[in-house]
Amino acid sequence: MAQPKPIGQLLQELGFISSEQVDVALDVQKVNPKFFGEILVDLDFITPNEIGEAMAIQNNLSFVDLDSVTPSNDALTLVPQNIAQTRLILPLYVEGDTLTIATQDVNDLMTLDYLRKETRKQIHFVIADKSKIARYTQIYYHQLQNPIETEIRSIAKKASEKIPIDVVRLLDLFLNNAIKDRTTDIHLTPEGAATHIFYRIDGVLRHYFSIPIDQHQQIVARIKIMAELDIAEQRKPQDGAFSYDFLNEKFDLRVSTMPTNFGENVVMRILGRNSSLFSLSHLGFSPANIQKIEHYFAKPYGVILVVGPTGSGKTTTLYSALRKINPLQKNILTVEDPIEYRFSFVKQTQVNRKAGYLFDTALRSFMRQDPDVMLVGEIRDAETAELAVRASITGHLVLSTLHTNDAIGTIPRLSDLGIPSYLIGSGLLAVIAQRLVRKLCPNCKVSRPISPDELERRHIHTQLTAAYPTDHVYEAKGCPQCQNTGYTGRMAIIEILEVDEEIESLISDNATTQTLLRAARQKGMLSMRDDGHIKVLQGLTTFDEIDRVVL
């Protein structure tokens, strides 16, 4: 029987790391006796998911991203929590006589033997990132023993019966439940008789709880105290922030309050401090688009922009693509607000308004640091835009984000910021515009036939149907694993405007956006809707999702 390939060799063959990065990791291993894969992750040469994917291939098993899976209570109850935590495993689900277990040590025969004897099930191992196994083992066993929603509804019932409640505990439960359900934003919305709690999950607001309106001001006051806001001020909006711990993990929350006719509306954005990097393929980018992005990120100078509305995943895409640039060979400097992902060998700085350190002042200082690549978290004003473009035409690669609706819309947006057309044309390399759509739950998605007439009626290009032929698509159904939404996780749909000589000439000549779009389409540019339709034809999402996020 053939021996499995060493993990380092396999990672190289998959294109995840270079031989130079392997050499650096081996040097680090001489002074830091960790596993080779752990060192690669510590050095940010590779993501935990990529390690997991390689290990899955190495062992001929499936890889599961635990961020998009909800274990069943039936599976959790079969394995005691102390065993799951000490053995670093997470029971996922039971199908007949088979129990599926997430692990990263498939060769742990003692654990396998224990599980077979204690559960009286056949054990099917899948590979997962061990840090996520540790995290979700805590979260889901905590939920199993202390159902958060049950306690919230019990407190809400007491409040409706005019029984005094613990507001501090109630707010903690709202936050704990939001973190458990992978919420990005919590909305506290006062109405006539009740305050409504909404969670934004996978980009969609969902109503979770209602509590009596007479408790609203107490909860808002508690939030304001935590965020160091003025409790007495209820007539104007306020912004603040605070830190929060849940099961030994730290989270940063940004708080925004706004007066309404029923009271102050509160929105809290949850930011995990241990945000993990992703590969572009994990984010939903097609091989063809990844190849284009790698081509432009290998350029020695120019501006590359990732554009879209707030919450469309621009920063995640930008940093995932930044991983394609070798920091061992190029001097990379960043200015961010705040630093969301941490990179080894990249010089990262953070905006400090009190000290006068802003995007534009950072760009000026970068020029004295012998930079090859400069990343600006966001272009917000004319001065930053001009400095970024001028830096690009003096021999530097500049990466940033911008708020526009589509790739072509970036050109008039830069013009509005005062950048001359000839500078835009000569400085811009490419624009990546994107939105996020929800992915179908693989456990419950339902197939349905689709006819050529429907494809034509939906204006799906024949070049797409020829490249991705199918006679069926999938629709959302809903099951316990996806909390009955039919979807789990999100992915990007994108369009890439490539600025070649013809497009540069049109920009410099102040061509209309319609002219630019026509020229780009003639060169083969696919729109975000086209990219979304491809993902529908591949069975990854639905037409409803594409219609929800793209005009």
Side-chain angles (χ1 to χ4, degrees), residues 19-32 36 39-40 43 45:
S19 58
E20 185 180 9
Q21 290 172 325
V22 170
D23 291 340
V24 171
L26 289 171
D27 282 344
V28 172
Q29 195 174 37
K30 293 173 184 175
V31 296
N32 186 355
F36 185 68
I39 292 173
L40 289 171
L43 291 171
F45 289 160

Side-chain angles (χ1 to χ4, degrees), residues 90-110:
L90 178 62
L92 295 181
Y93 38 84
V94 183
E95 292 177 337
D97 291 330
T98 301
L99 171 64
T100 298
I101 299 279
T103 183
Q104 202 170 77
D105 187 0
V106 295
N107 298 315
D108 185 353
L109 299 180
M110 287 181 61

Side-chain angles (χ1 to χ4, degrees), residues 218-459:
Q218 293 182 59
I219 297 173
V220 173
R222 172 61 183 166
I223 293 170
K224 285 184 170 182
I225 290 170
M226 296 174 74
E228 298 183 350
L229 300 178
D230 185 350
I231 298 176
E233 180 56 76
Q234 300 178 20
R235 300 165 300 172
K236 63 181 183 182
Q238 296 186 67
D239 294 316
F242 65 91
S243 296
Y244 184 77
D245 288 8
F246 177 54
L247 297 178
N248 302 315
E249 187 172 357
K250 293 187 179 297
F251 297 85
D252 292 324
L253 284 92
R254 296 179 186 172
V255 178
S256 173
T257 69
M258 182 183 72
T260 72
N261 55 332
F262 288 111
E264 289 181 280
N265 192 80
V266 180
V267 176
M268 294 181 283
R269 169 153 290 187
I270 302 174
L271 303 169
R273 289 190 182 176
N274 299 314
S275 299
S276 57
L277 289 168
F278 298 101
S279 65
L280 290 172
S281 59
H282 183 272
L283 297 176
F285 285 59
S286 68
N289 282 332
I290 292 174
Q291 189 174 10
K292 287 180 182 178
I293 290 170
E294 290 178 347
H295 168 72
Y296 285 106
F297 272 70
K299 294 285 187 181
Y301 55 85
V303 177
I304 302 173
L305 296 176
V306 182
V307 304
T310 300
S312 60
K314 298 186 298 296
T315 301
T316 301
T317 292
L318 186 63
Y319 284 89
S320 298
L322 181 65
R323 295 180 58 238
K324 299 297 180 181
I325 300 175
N326 188 351
L328 299 174
Q329 295 179 350
K330 293 192 175 182
N331 184 23
I332 304 173
L333 306 171
T334 80
V335 54
E336 307 164 57
D337 184 23
I339 295 173
E340 293 186 38
Y341 302 95
R342 304 197 180 270
F343 288 84
S344 298
F345 305 105
V346 173
K347 295 79 178 175
Q348 295 177 267
T349 67
Q350 184 164 307
V351 165
N352 187 330
R353 288 177 175 79
K354 290 183 180 179
Y357 185 69
L358 305 174
F359 288 126
D360 56 331
T361 50
L363 273 173
R364 288 192 184 89
S365 68
F366 285 177
M367 299 300 287
R368 298 186 291 274
Q369 286 283 316
D370 184 31
D372 294 300
V373 181
M374 294 183 280
L375 185 149
V376 183
E378 184 182 340
I379 292 178
R380 297 176 179 171
D381 53 56
E383 195 165 10
T384 305
E386 184 175 357
L387 285 168
V389 173
R390 291 195 180 278
S392 74
I393 60 177
T394 56
H396 305 90
L397 185 64
V398 181
L399 317 172
S400 192
T401 67
L402 188 69
H403 287 272
T404 65
N405 285 326
D406 54 27
I408 295 293
T410 302
I411 310 304
R413 175 72 179 122
L414 290 172
S415 295
D416 289 344
L417 289 172
I419 310 301
S421 297
Y422 73 91
L423 280 182
I424 298 173
S426 61
L428 203 57
L429 283 175
V431 180
I432 304 161
Q434 71 176 60
R435 297 287 190 282
L436 295 177
V437 296
R438 292 179 295 173
K439 295 188 289 186
L440 278 164
C441 173
N443 187 60
C444 66
K445 64 181 183 180
V446 178
S447 173
R448 74 164 177 86
I450 187 165
S451 67
D453 287 344
E454 182 181 351
L455 292 170
E456 185 177 350
R457 193 167 62 251
R458 290 183 178 275
H459 306 292

